[in-house]
Structure formats: C-alpha cells, structure tokens
Amino acid sequence: MSLAGKKIILGVTGGIAAYKAAELCRLLIRAGAEVRVVMTVAAQQFVTPLTFQALSGKPVLASLWDAASGDGMEHIHLSRDADLLLVAPASADFLARLAQGRADDLLSTLCLARTCGLAVAPAMNREMWAAAPTRRNLEQLRADGVSVLGPAAGEQACGEIGLGRMLEPADILAALPGLLGAGPLAGKRVLVTAGPTFEAIDPVRGLTNRSSGKMGYAVAQAAAEAGAAVCLVSGPSCLHAPAGVRRIDVQSAAEMRDAVLRELPSDVFIAVAAVADYRVDAVATQKIKKNDAVLTLNLVPNPDILTEVAALPGAPFCVGFAAETERLAEHAESKRLRKKLPLLVGNLAQDTLGQDSAELVLFDDRGRHPLPRADKLTQARRLIRHLAALLN
Ligand code: C5P
C-alpha cells in the first residue's frame, strides 16, 4: 500500500498504547507518508519525543509554546498543510476534550484548527470505553465527522479482557487509504448485505440461521478501507459497524430487500447476508399457544434480493456468496451463472459459519481463484482487491 506524498500529523496521547504509535509511525514512513508527530504532555510519560524524532526524521512538537516560533501560528500552518490528522492512541480524556472542542494544548488546538480529516484510534480500559460519558463523546465525535478506528477487543495492559485495546498499527494503516480517498474504490458506492434475517412466526418467535455477520462486516470494512462510500444493510447482529460505514438495521428478508432497493443506485452490490429462503405465510398476531397437536407452519419463498438486483437495468457490479456443504465448485459456479453474477465467493458452510477465519474460492469469468485460509478481514481485503481489479 502506498501513502506516497501524503502528509500526516500523528498525534500521540497518554496511554500505554503510545509505544505502539512508534511502530505506527514507522509503518507510515515506510508507506511513503511524510509524518509530523505531535505529543501531549501525558504521552511523553510513556515514550520520549526522541523516539518519534528518530522514526519520523523530524523534530516532535510537544507544546503549544514550543510551536510558537516564527509568527506563532504553527498550529494553523501545520494543519493547513496536512492531508490527515491521526490521533493514535486517543485516550478517554483526549476524546472528551475533543468532543468539547477544547484547545488547551497543541494537539487539541490542531484538531480544532484543522481543515483536513481527523481520525482517532481509541485506547483505554474496557470500563472506561463502556462508560456513559465515553459513549456520549464518541457519538458526538462521529456526528462531527471524526473517523473512529477501533478499538479492538482482547487482553489489556491492566490484565482485564475486553473492548478498548488500540487497533494494531497494521490495521490502522490499512484504514488510511480509504480516509485519504486514495484507495482502489475511491469515489465508488458499495452496498453490502450482512448477517442473518429473522422471519417472525408470532410476536415472540421466529426463523433465523447461524450467520454471525462477521464476513459481511469485514467486507464492508475492507470496501471502506479501499475508499468506497459504504452502506451496510444488516440483519440482527451484535457486531459494531466498521469505521466510516453507514449501517441500516433490518430484521426480515422483505425489509432487507426494501432497504437495498432504496439504497440503489450503487456501483457495487455485495450480498453476503444469509437471507432466509422462506418465511411463514401469515405471521400470527398473538403468541401461538402450545398444545399436544402437531403444529404446521406454511412457509412461502422469500424474494431473492441478489437475483433481483442483478437483473435490474443498469445493475451494479454484483457479488454473491455461496455457502455449500458439498461439491463447492460445481454448486457455486452454477449459482453464479443462474444469478448472472460477474463474481461469486464460495465457501464450505460447515467451515465458515460463526468462525473467525475462512477458506474461500472466487469464481469469475476467468475461472476459479482460491484464497487460502485466513481471518475474515484478510479474506475480505483480498476479495475487495480482486473486485477492484475486475471493476477497473
Ligand atoms: O441461492 P443462495 O441462497 O445460495 O444464494 C446465496 C447468495 O444470494 C448470497 O449472496 C445471498 O446473500 C444472496 N441471497 C439474496 N436473497 C435471498 C437469498 C440469497 O440476496 N433471498
């Protein structure tokens, strides 16, 4: 990936993840970016400015008053010149100050004075991340157009396990081309469906399946990283929408179809959702009472959203997913031809459902392209690379 010629201000705030910002700085430089590092006072308790000076090849800016050289307008000049301001790690305190529009140190002043995009990679203890004030601040920042990258879940410096770790530097790096409008899908609209659908039987029961949504969310994230404007139509899932992705929540296949048709036109449509093939013909208005008799439900077929979209005049570039339990190549290729798709992703259902990794095969007009087993985000990025090459 290249960030050649991109000017990035890397803001480092006070948290143990500040040591990972050193690796991030190195990766940014290696990708060709020109990096200026700005540290808060607290960040310097964790890593010294000298570390970042050595990595970025430029003096680190650490105080509003140091920066008052020349005409004293360094905070204005710096941000005017930048393509992106990236704060990683962003502490809970820094996010709170950012949400308030405070300007009481160089980094917060730069954030307020900037004309470029701003992305933050939060890092904090899981209870701090879950705390109501942090939730409010994040909501405010997102509404203000700030891109929030992560956090990730896992073991924390304090020994607890949960959501709040800073994203790994490589994952932060992967998100940048999209934020800079520099990815292979820059300027494209991508519509993704994900998760299961839920078909009500009565007010308390329904038909659904074991799709977790992980693959669809990973595809949405990879498309956003590639610079696309992404809309994710999601069935019930407890996953968080990836940074920069607009999410529409639906329950049933009919609701998913309506949402998809409303979001067209789009350049690309990627149907990852495990849409229920059937729904009950008449949903009971009251809870169905149990008795000893056999209960018969009449099931009627649901609309096939992907087939319908692919058949529209001026259809987007359509990508399907096929989860098969046997004879993958044969079933997948015949599904691709039947649904008239330029690209179909095949996988073995028993191998993928609910798992964190997957082994996939891409089927297109040129044949089959195996994607050896990897985590779903890696697979999604490979898929998006392949799709972008076909599209362009
Ligand atoms: O025919 P099958 O359900 O195996 O096809 C799977 C592909 O079709 C997936 O891409 C899925 O998202 C899409 N699909 C759909 N609407 C349906 C059923 C499947 O969009 N009702």
Side-chain angles (χ1 to χ4, degrees), residues 61-81:
L61 295 160
S63 149
L64 199 49
W65 315 118
D66 289 350
S69 56
D71 60 5
M73 292 291 160
E74 194 72 2
H75 59 292
I76 303 290
H77 302 318
L78 251 182
S79 83
R80 290 299 171 276
D81 208 29

Side-chain angles (χ1 to χ4, degrees), residues 314-337:
F317 183 97
C318 286
V319 183
F321 269 69
E324 305 295 338
T325 53
E326 55 165 2
R327 310 218 305 268
L328 176 63
E330 192 185 318
H331 289 313
E333 188 55 12
S334 74
K335 192 166 290 183
R336 185 176 85 86
L337 298 175

Side-chain angles (χ1 to χ4, degrees), residues 58-361:
K58 291 204 168 64
V60 167
L61 295 160
S63 149
L64 199 49
W65 315 118
D66 289 350
S69 56
D71 60 5
M73 292 291 160
E74 194 72 2
H75 59 292
I76 303 290
H77 302 318
L78 251 182
S79 83
R80 290 299 171 276
D81 208 29
D83 294 300
L84 182 73
L85 211 166
L86 167 66
V87 182
S91 64
D93 175 68
F94 188 76
L95 294 175
R97 291 197 290 124
L98 201 57
Q100 288 280 313
R102 299 280 291 269
D104 48 10
D105 66 3
L106 179 60
L107 186 56
S108 55
T109 305
L110 271 172
C111 289
L112 199 61
R114 78 185 200 283
T115 46
C116 62
L118 171 61
V120 295
M124 65 198 72
N125 165 271
R126 65 190 173 111
E127 298 296 352
M128 292 170 79
W129 175 251
T134 307
R135 306 282 86 225
R136 281 199 301 276
N137 293 334
L138 260 294
E139 205 170 305
Q140 183 61 58
L141 291 172
R142 286 201 176 98
D144 292 346
V146 176
S147 302
V148 181
L149 309 175
E155 195 178 329
Q156 305 200 303
C158 52
E160 296 181 4
I161 293 177
L163 202 60
R165 277 165 65 98
M166 188 174 87
L167 278 192
E168 290 305 320
D171 294 326
I172 295 176
L173 188 76
L176 298 189
L179 296 177
L180 289 161
L185 293 183
K188 303 276 187 219
R189 279 169 61 100
V190 173
L191 182 57
V192 181
T193 63
T197 63
F198 180 88
E199 312 296 332
I201 294 172
D202 68 15
V204 295
R205 304 185 184 94
L207 298 172
T208 187
N209 61 62
R210 290 171 54 202
S211 167
S212 63
K214 284 178 189 163
M215 192 69 220
Y217 279 60
V219 167
Q221 177 173 339
E225 287 175 4
V230 182
C231 173
L232 174 65
V233 179
S234 175
S237 167
C238 53
L239 299 174
H240 296 277
V245 168
R246 189 162 57 86
R247 166 172 157 180
I248 298 174
D249 288 313
V250 297
Q251 296 276 319
S252 65
E255 283 174 26
M256 186 172 274
R257 172 183 174 274
D258 291 349
V260 164
L261 294 182
R262 257 198 317 274
E263 287 301 320
L264 292 175
S266 183
D267 298 293
V268 178
F269 176 52
I270 312 178
V272 196
V275 184
D277 290 322
Y278 298 93
R279 66 178 186 280
V280 294
D281 61 352
V283 179
T285 52
Q286 302 299 330
K287 186 179 172 191
I288 298 171
K289 286 292 165 203
K290 178 173 72 172
N291 61 36
D292 290 338
V294 170
L295 174 67
T296 304
L297 295 173
N298 280 326
L299 300 182
V300 293
N302 266 331
D304 189 312
I305 305 167
L306 178 57
T307 303
E308 186 174 343
V309 171
L312 290 172
F317 183 97
C318 286
V319 183
F321 269 69
E324 305 295 338
T325 53
E326 55 165 2
R327 310 218 305 268
L328 176 63
E330 192 185 318
H331 289 313
E333 188 55 12
S334 74
K335 192 166 290 183
R336 185 176 85 86
L337 298 175
R338 194 174 64 245
K339 298 198 184 207
K340 299 195 170 61
L341 308 173
L343 180 60
L344 182 126
V345 185
N347 64 266
L348 286 171
Q350 60 273 37
D351 207 39
T352 310
L353 265 179
Q355 305 282 318
D356 290 323
S357 69
E359 191 179 333
L360 305 177
V361 186

